[in-house]
Amino acid sequence: MTTPTSGDVELDSGPGRVLIATVVLGSAVAMLTATVVNVALPTLANDLDASSSEQKWIINAYTLTLAALILIGGSLGDRWGRVRVYRLGVVWFAVASALCAVSWDTTSLIVFRLLQGVGGALLTPGSLAIIQATLRPDDRGRGVGLWSGIGGVAGAIGPLVGGLLVEISWRWVFVVNLPVAVAAFVLSFWVPDSRDETARDSDLDLRGAALTALLLGAASYALIEGPEGGLSALEIVCIVVSVLAAVALWRVERGRDHAMLPLELFADKVFAAANVVTFTIYGGMAVLFFLLSVQLQVTAGWSPLEAGTALLPVTVLMLLLSARAGDWASRIGPRWPLTIGSFVVAAGMTMMTRVGPEASFWSDVLPAVTVFGLGLSLIVAPVTSTALNAVPDERAGAASGVNNAVARTAGLLAVAAIPGFVGLTGDALADPVQLDVGFGRAMLVAAAIVALAGVFAFVLLPSDPSLCDDSHRFEQSRCPVTGEASTTHEAAQA
């Protein structure tokens, strides 16, 4: 089969469908892992005798390397070829998943989860960058909508898959990644590659990557271990190190050509605003996905399979409504979908506080997850498209990496900080009484964070899709949104 040229692939053609299948399979397996492990966590923790802090590390080890290296993953794609790096990420992810499946104790699992996050950092930014660089301009918004919708379904269906697999063994939640990764790897050979020619001869920003990893690693350690027994000297050192690393990262990236963290992208007001909204939305949602399955199993007494079915309504709603929400956002602009969606998600999280001992699926869980799913369907496609459409095609890898890094960093820090903040320390995740109290508090904190995203969306994002819309994106112009010099961008589409 002859592959078409990058930049002119029609979404509704055979090559377009192969492209979407390739990027959805690879990114879906990463999203699946992010949620499927949550359902297996109580069984896994019991088998490996993991404490509450160790359970947080099992979740956050993957997110840590994913968030720390996802920017370098986008840069590698821009330099060496987006499909090539994506393919490498799929293989790496599969090997790391196999290692997770044979873990013999908590420490080995955490180490292998760190490796798994490296694979995720290589494949995740590439999936969106391939869509932006390969499809025709008129099809890119709809392509992102399909990626967001199907990928969101994969993330939402993860708990059900996890529940089914845990009935066999928690190790199968990692084995399931292997056939999906093989399919994505094979299909990738029929997708045309693309790169940023201006970046090929530049040095790789290894200092930026090292500083990011140091910043997030030190911050995560302080946030997870600090509440366990008061701040020790080591945790205070980690706080100081994370602050110094943040300052150094800003100084290093500020004046560097082809920086891993391209600060010049934030000169576009809409790109900056979309990432602020992304951070608050994904931070709050990460707490729900981490704690809900644990609450249902430990406090409500549900089986892993029953807990896995709890988010099925979210899957159905994402499948039915994501594309329509994307189309709506492309017609009216991103402000209202993201504002309304954030407040609806926050309402669903608030309703989650009813989930406790002897919780009923029909009266306690279903109403909450339905409201949550309706809000999520309004958010996923518009927030991603808004960020990506704010930059030119040749910066697609960098923009995708930044937006994904923001989302993963938000989840990493929220899962590290909020459980400890509400008292879920020690063995609390295994204690029904302590967990029930902490879960309710955590849902209210998470709901407040997501509601803040709605405020940011309303204040910072344009309501008119024609604002700052120009085929020559990223050229300096007077932006009607702010009246100040800003970069131009395409209207948000889905």
Side-chain angles (χ1 to χ4, degrees):
M1 180 186 295
T2 301
T3 57
T5 304
S6 181
D8 65 359
V9 175
E10 296 183 21
L11 180 60
D12 294 326
S13 66
R17 286 187 284 271
V18 170
L19 183 152
I20 291 297
T22 303
V23 298
V24 163
L25 282 171
S27 56
V29 78
M31 293 179 187
L32 188 68
T33 293
T35 56
V36 73
V37 176
N38 292 333
V39 175
L41 199 57
T43 303
L44 182 158
N46 183 63
D47 188 29
L48 299 179
D49 193 27
S51 66
S52 292
S53 74
E54 287 172 328
Q55 291 181 58
K56 285 182 248 181
W57 276 116
I58 289 169
I59 298 298
N60 271 357
Y62 171 77
T63 315
L64 172 59
T65 46
L66 175 61
L69 300 177
I70 201 168
L71 289 171
I72 208 75
S75 297
L76 286 171
D78 285 343
R79 286 163 173 75
W80 298 343
R82 288 150 187 151
V83 175
R84 179 182 299 179
V85 172
Y86 177 81
R87 193 179 296 139
L88 172 63
V90 168
V91 173
W92 187 303
F93 192 91
V95 172
S97 296
L99 292 172
C100 289
V102 299
S103 301
W104 53 90
D105 58 16
T106 303
T107 301
S108 63
L109 179 57
I110 291 172
V111 170
F112 295 146
R113 288 280 282 168
L114 287 166
L115 291 176
Q116 197 180 36
V118 176
L122 292 173
L123 71 89
T124 302
S127 60
L128 280 170
I130 290 167
I131 291 174
Q132 287 292 107
T134 308
L135 291 179
R136 297 185 313 168
D138 291 344
D139 288 337
R140 289 168 190 165
R142 193 155 56 96
V144 171
L146 281 172
W147 177 89
S148 300
I150 300 173
V153 168
I157 206 173
L160 174 60
V161 174
L164 289 168
L165 294 174
V166 170
E167 298 292 330
I168 306 171
S169 168
W170 63 263
R171 299 179 187 277
W172 280 88
V173 302
F174 298 108
V175 175
V176 72
N177 294 331
L178 303 184
V180 182
V182 169
F185 177 79
V186 172
L187 286 173
S188 69
F189 286 94
W190 280 274
V191 178
D193 209 347
S194 62
R195 58 174 57 89
D196 179 1
E197 296 297 337
T198 65
R200 294 187 65 182
D201 297 327
S202 61
D203 294 331
L204 204 57
D205 189 3
L206 298 179
R207 283 193 300 171
L211 286 170
T212 303
L214 182 62
L215 163 62
L216 295 181
S220 297
Y221 187 89
L223 290 170
I224 290 175
E225 300 298 335
E228 293 294 324
L231 287 176
S232 67
L234 177 58
E235 285 137 21
I236 293 173
V237 168
C238 284
I239 293 172
V240 174
V241 167
S242 64
V243 172
L244 293 176
V247 174
L249 179 65
W250 180 78
R251 290 178 63 88
V252 166
E253 302 299 276
R254 186 181 179 190
R256 179 184 171 88
D257 291 334
H258 297 289
M260 179 199 71
L261 178 60
L263 296 178
E264 72 275 7
L265 294 181
F266 289 91
D268 185 289
K269 304 297 184 182
V270 175
F271 181 81
N275 281 285
V276 169
V277 174
T278 296
F279 187 87
T280 43
I281 286 173
Y282 280 87
M285 291 197 305
V287 177
L288 181 146
F289 284 118
F290 171 50
L291 290 177
L292 179 60
S293 296
V294 180
Q295 171 77 346
L296 288 171
Q297 293 176 68
V298 175
T299 302
W302 290 23
S303 69
L305 179 57
E306 289 170 332
T309 63
L311 290 174
L312 267 182
V314 177
T315 303
V316 174
L317 290 168
M318 289 287 292
L319 188 61
L320 294 176
L321 301 179
S322 281
R324 291 179 174 86
D327 180 63
W328 183 41
S330 70
R331 288 186 281 108
I332 71 168
R335 176 188 290 172
W336 287 111
L338 293 178
T339 300
I340 296 171
S342 297
F343 284 116
V344 173
V345 166
M349 289 179 168
T350 303
M351 295 169 67
M352 296 282 182
T353 58
R354 291 175 50 87
V355 178
E358 301 180 359
S360 164
F361 174 76
W362 297 106
S363 61
D364 299 319
V365 177
L366 181 60
V369 298
T370 299
V371 173
F372 175 79
L374 287 170
L376 190 61
S377 299
L378 287 173
I379 287 172
V380 176
V383 74
T384 303
S385 280
T386 302
L388 288 185
N389 286 331
V391 303
D393 294 344
E394 62 269 18
R395 305 307 305 277
S400 175
V402 168
N403 190 243
N404 275 282
V406 167
R408 307 310 177 225
T409 300
L412 171 72
L413 298 178
V415 170
I418 293 176
F421 176 75
V422 299
L424 295 177
T425 58
D427 295 324
L429 291 180
D431 184 330
V433 176
Q434 292 185 66
L435 176 58
D436 189 37
V437 174
F439 175 79
R441 293 172 180 169
M443 289 303 98
L444 293 178
V445 173
I449 293 172
V450 176
L452 186 61
V455 175
F456 288 145
F458 182 78
V459 173
L460 300 176
L461 290 173
S463 59
D464 186 342
S466 67
L467 293 179
C468 297
D469 184 8
D470 193 302
S471 59
H472 303 290
R473 294 190 305 273
F474 221 66
E475 295 175 1
Q476 294 296 324
S477 68
R478 302 293 294 184
C479 176
V481 178
T482 63
E484 300 174 355
S486 174
T487 54
T488 56
H489 74 288
E490 288 185 348
Q493 303 177 54

